[in-house]
């Protein structure tokens, strides 16, 4: 707020001393209003400029466009851009890039591509921001999936290196297209390049990366079907078993590791050769993870550590794309643990919800309960309506009616808090029952 107050004071001083504000003075004040989302004030200054026959320059118009986009007023932003394009002067590359970004936010791919073609015909300089916005626009539309990768090639041909935003967007596009194989290839490429010191900062694995990968795992195969009544008997106590396991783990100060796949509660289910193979792979990955983590406290050549790192990646994510729910769910779990244990990544609500969806969709119900009952609390992440919806679906698939009622009860308590904050009448009727608790 200090910068805005300073700008306003300086502008008033000019008027008090009967000094004519310059174009730079007006531009500075408009930019200050823009930074604090005071769009109407920014436009009032713009009108004052015109009243004094001082015509705004391109930076002023770009500031006005930014102000509109920040508050989601796309109609007004287009009005400024069209006025600039047809009345004042030719928009520059910044103006075009801003409007391409606006198109991407609204899924208007055709409009974005037309602006891109206009940039090229006007011989304006292209930037990595322009390409990233275009790729994002294509990512939200499955029918433009191939066009997104064509733009990636064009981006590299113009000498721009894809950054983590580019990769995250492409993985998101793969998730929407249910193309797990390509998502895995992009993720592996991202991991390999992130080890290059020259690309430090340009490429990094962040919560968005893993969130998009979890969505790719979640939507790759059809969701597992509702279990039989016979199998449902075995799931009756799963939620309580997981809760007891988490309490014991907390009392013993145990940490979750990459090998978290087969616990006591899972022993009551049939373990076939395929499951045993996954368990062995998980144990090998856990050992490799421990060895890699130990190198952080030792003097190990970078080449050796990088090789250990890639060997671990091969264990976590074999080159063959998994084709069954067990394999897909197991790989998703391994990648999640790798992100948390090796990379020490941060956790967001979107990440936990995506991971929850991947576990439920691939029949890894115990891990889903661990996330719901343990990880949200562990990382201080509040649950939302989507979280409760997915867990009720889990209960429907396992025919676990008691747990479904407990989740419904918790959902009512959450909804009551939301309604109370909004001041909605009748929120007190949604109070949580004291009998339906874990």
């Amino acid at each position: 707020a200090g910068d805005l107050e300073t700008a306003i004071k300086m502008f008033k001083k000019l008027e008090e001393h009967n000094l004519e504000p310059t174009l730079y003075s007006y531009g500075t004040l408009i930019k200050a209003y823009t930074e604090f989302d005071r769009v109407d004030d920014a436009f009032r200054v713009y009108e004052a400029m015109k009243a004094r026959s001082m015509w705004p320059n391109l930076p002023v118009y770009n500031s006005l466009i930014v102000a509109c986009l920040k508050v989601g007023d796309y109609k007004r932003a287009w009005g400024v851009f069209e006025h600039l394009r047809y009345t004042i002067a030719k928009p520059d590359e910044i103006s075009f890039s801003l409007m391409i970004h606006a198109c991407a936010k609204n899924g208007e791919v055709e409009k974005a591509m037309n602006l891109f073609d206009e940039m090229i015909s006007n011989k304006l300089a292209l930037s990595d921001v322009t390409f990233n916005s275009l790729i994002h626009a294509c990512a939200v539309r499955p029918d433009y999936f191939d066009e997104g990768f064509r733009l990636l090639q064009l981006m590299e041909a113009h000498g721009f290196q894809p950054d983590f935003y580019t990769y995250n967007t492409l993985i998101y596009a793969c998730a929407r297209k249910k193309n797990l194989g390509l998502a895995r290839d992009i993720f592996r490429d991202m991991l390999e390049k992130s080890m290059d010191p020259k690309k430090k900062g340009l490429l990094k694995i962040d919560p968005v990366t893993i969130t998009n990968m979890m969505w790719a795992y979640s939507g790759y195969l059809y969701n597992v079907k509702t279990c039989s009544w016979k199998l449902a008997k075995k799931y009756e106590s799963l939620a309580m078993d997981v809760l007891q396991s988490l309490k014991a783990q907390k009392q013993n100060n145990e940490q979750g590791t990459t090998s978290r796949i087969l616990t006591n509660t899972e022993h009551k289910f049939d373990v076939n050769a395929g499951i045993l193979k996954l368990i062995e792979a998980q144990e090998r990955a856990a050992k490799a993870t421990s060895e890699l983590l130990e190198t952080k406290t030792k003097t190990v050549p970078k080449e050796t550590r990088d090789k250990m790192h890639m060997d671990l990646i091969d264990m976590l994510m074999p080159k063959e794309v998994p084709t069954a729910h067990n394999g897909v769910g197991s790989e998703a779990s391994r990648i999640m643990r790798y992100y948390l244990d090796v990379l020490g990544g941060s956790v967001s609500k979107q990440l936990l919800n995506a991971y929850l969806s991947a576990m439920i969709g691939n029949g890894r119900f115990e891990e889903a309960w661990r996330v719901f009952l343990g990880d949200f609390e562990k990382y201080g992440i509040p649950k939302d309506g989507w979280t409760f919806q997915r867990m009720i679906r889990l209960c429907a698939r396992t025919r676990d009616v008691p747990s479904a009622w407990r989740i419904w009860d918790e959902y009512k308590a959450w909804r009551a808090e939301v309604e109370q904050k909004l001041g909605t009448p009748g929120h007190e009727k949604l109070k949580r029952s004291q009998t339906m608790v874990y």
Side-chain angles (χ1 to χ4, degrees):
D3 292 338
L4 177 58
E5 291 175 2
T6 302
I8 294 173
K9 286 179 181 178
M10 292 297 294
F11 201 83
K12 286 182 176 179
K13 280 186 178 181
L14 290 174
E15 294 180 334
E16 289 172 1
H17 290 82
N18 294 320
L19 296 174
E20 186 71 23
T22 63
L23 182 63
Y24 176 78
S25 303
Y26 279 113
T28 301
L29 185 57
I30 288 174
K31 190 173 181 180
Y33 278 129
T34 298
E35 289 177 358
F36 288 88
D37 298 339
R38 292 174 61 172
V39 183
D40 292 335
D41 288 328
F43 273 90
R44 274 193 282 271
V45 176
Y46 165 70
E47 294 297 336
M49 290 181 69
K50 293 195 296 181
R52 294 191 178 188
S53 299
M54 184 176 291
W55 293 105
N57 56 11
L58 275 171
V60 169
Y61 280 107
N62 288 337
S63 292
L64 291 173
I65 292 173
V66 170
C68 296
L69 295 180
K70 282 184 71 179
V71 297
D73 193 346
Y74 296 102
K75 184 178 180 180
R76 202 173 191 180
W78 276 108
V80 174
F81 181 75
E82 298 295 353
H83 177 68
L84 174 61
R85 178 158 58 169
Y86 295 117
T87 307
I88 305 301
K90 286 185 177 180
D92 61 3
E93 54 270 16
I94 297 175
S95 312
F96 274 98
S97 294
L98 287 170
M99 297 317 298
I100 287 174
H101 179 70
C103 292
K105 295 282 284 184
N106 289 325
E108 299 174 317
V109 187
E110 295 85 358
K111 217 171 185 178
M113 295 304 297
N114 288 337
L115 290 173
F116 181 62
D117 291 338
E118 191 175 337
M119 285 187 73
I120 294 174
S121 63
N122 290 341
K123 297 181 179 179
L124 294 176
L126 303 176
S127 67
D128 55 342
V129 175
T130 307
F131 281 107
N132 277 333
S133 295
L134 281 166
I135 291 171
H136 176 73
C138 294
V140 299
R141 288 270 298 273
D143 52 326
Y144 275 84
F145 181 75
D146 295 333
E147 184 66 19
F149 285 89
R150 187 190 71 81
L151 286 166
L152 174 64
Q153 294 176 339
L154 194 60
M155 179 182 185
E156 293 177 324
H158 277 78
F160 298 110
Q161 290 295 319
D163 56 14
F164 68 95
Y165 181 86
T166 317
Y167 278 99
N168 286 346
T169 304
L170 291 171
I171 293 174
Y172 172 75
C174 292
R176 288 181 63 89
K177 194 71 173 178
K178 301 183 185 299
N179 192 331
L180 178 60
L182 191 51
R184 293 167 87 252
D185 291 341
I186 295 169
F187 184 66
R188 286 180 66 95
D189 187 47
M190 192 176 183
L191 285 170
E192 290 178 17
K193 289 181 177 178
S194 65
M195 296 179 198
D196 186 349
K198 296 179 181 178
K199 297 185 178 179
K200 188 175 182 181
L202 185 66
L203 286 174
K204 61 181 179 180
I205 309 298
D206 64 3
V208 178
T209 313
I210 306 302
T211 298
N212 291 340
M213 281 301 299
M214 291 303 123
W215 284 125
Y217 286 117
S218 174
Y220 176 53
L221 299 173
Y222 289 107
N223 288 335
V224 292
K225 297 179 181 179
T226 301
C227 69
S228 65
W229 284 105
K230 182 180 178 181
L231 187 58
K233 289 289 184 182
K234 298 180 179 180
Y235 283 118
E236 280 182 349
S237 62
L238 183 57
M240 290 302 176
D241 288 341
V242 170
L243 187 62
Q244 293 302 319
S245 175
L246 288 171
K247 287 181 178 178
Q249 185 180 337
K250 193 173 183 179
Q251 289 174 356
N252 297 327
N253 294 320
E254 295 175 358
Q255 299 295 322
T257 64
T258 311
S259 59
R260 192 174 82 182
I261 182 172
L262 186 68
T263 60
N264 292 333
T265 55
E266 286 179 320
H267 280 295
K268 60 186 175 184
F269 299 102
D270 295 329
V271 180
N272 56 35
I275 296 293
L276 288 173
K277 187 176 180 181
L278 290 175
I279 295 169
E280 290 172 1
Q282 195 83 356
E283 289 174 347
R284 289 197 302 271
K287 182 180 179 182
T289 299
S290 298
E291 292 174 351
L292 181 62
L293 290 173
E294 287 175 3
T295 63
K296 290 185 177 181
T297 58
K298 299 177 182 178
T299 305
V300 179
K302 185 181 182 304
E303 294 77 11
T304 303
R305 194 170 189 279
D306 286 349
K307 185 179 184 307
M308 292 175 67
H309 206 147
M310 288 314 302
D311 288 343
L312 173 59
I313 297 302
D314 289 335
M315 293 179 192
L316 297 173
M317 186 183 286
K319 293 183 179 179
E320 298 80 15
V321 181
T323 57
H325 286 111
N326 277 331
V328 174
S330 177
E331 183 171 296
S333 181
R334 292 196 299 266
I335 294 301
M336 183 67 166
R337 302 316 308 174
Y338 164 79
Y339 171 71
L340 296 174
D341 297 344
V342 178
L343 300 183
S346 59
V347 178
S348 66
K349 183 189 300 181
Q350 292 79 8
L351 174 54
L352 287 184
N353 277 336
Y355 183 50
L356 191 66
S357 180
M359 294 298 98
I360 295 172
N362 289 289
R364 300 186 68 80
F365 301 134
E366 181 186 350
E367 181 68 2
W369 277 113
R370 285 182 177 275
V371 175
F372 182 77
L373 296 174
D375 288 351
F376 278 92
E377 180 183 355
K378 176 181 177 181
Y379 296 107
I381 304 292
K383 299 167 185 172
D384 60 14
W386 198 94
T387 313
F388 296 117
Q389 180 195 64
R390 296 304 297 179
M391 289 304 296
I392 289 175
R393 287 187 182 181
L394 182 156
C395 294
R397 290 203 178 107
T398 58
R399 303 181 188 271
D400 187 354
V401 178
S403 293
W405 278 113
R406 293 188 188 99
I407 292 170
W408 177 253
D409 198 46
E410 188 176 347
Y411 163 75
K412 286 198 301 180
W414 169 81
R415 183 62 185 268
E417 291 179 7
V418 173
E419 299 290 354
Q420 186 176 17
K421 290 177 181 177
L422 295 174
T424 307
H427 64 265
E428 63 277 355
K429 296 179 181 179
L430 293 168
K431 287 182 179 179
R432 183 175 184 174
S433 165
Q434 295 303 307
T435 59
M436 298 294 287
V437 295
Y438 292 104

